[in-house]
Amino acid sequence: YIDESFIFGGGRLYREALPQVKRIYLTRVHMDVPDGDTTFPNLDMTQWQETDRTEKREADPPHTYYVLERQSA
C-alpha cells in the first residue's frame, strides 16, 4: 500500500495523473521566466481547497508553497 506518490512532469504526465490526484503540493515562483516546454494544467479551483500556504518572499527566487486538497463530491 502506497500512501503518497509524487509526480514531477512533464506536461502529459501531469494531465494524465491529475484526475487521480487527491492532493497537490504546488510551488509558484514569483518572477518572470521564459516560456518553457512543460506547463502544469490549469486547475478548476472550484474542485480544490487550499489547506496550507508558506510564502518565501525573501528567498531567491521568491516563491510560495501551496497544499491543495480535492473537494469531496
Side-chain angles (χ1 to χ4, degrees), residues 17-67:
L18 195 56
Q20 311 302 318
V21 170
K22 295 180 180 167
R23 178 179 299 132
I24 296 174
Y25 298 98
L26 179 70
T27 303
R28 180 160 289 152
V29 179
H30 305 291
M31 62 184 288
D32 291 328
V33 295
D35 289 341
D37 62 354
T38 301
T39 60
F40 193 79
N42 289 328
L43 295 175
D44 176 356
M45 290 308 292
T46 64
Q47 296 181 13
W48 298 93
Q49 178 180 354
E50 182 182 313
T51 59
D52 194 29
R53 176 190 299 200
T54 304
E55 293 193 27
K56 302 286 187 176
R57 295 290 180 165
E58 301 302 318
D60 186 19
H63 56 279
T64 303
Y65 298 115
Y66 298 88
V67 179

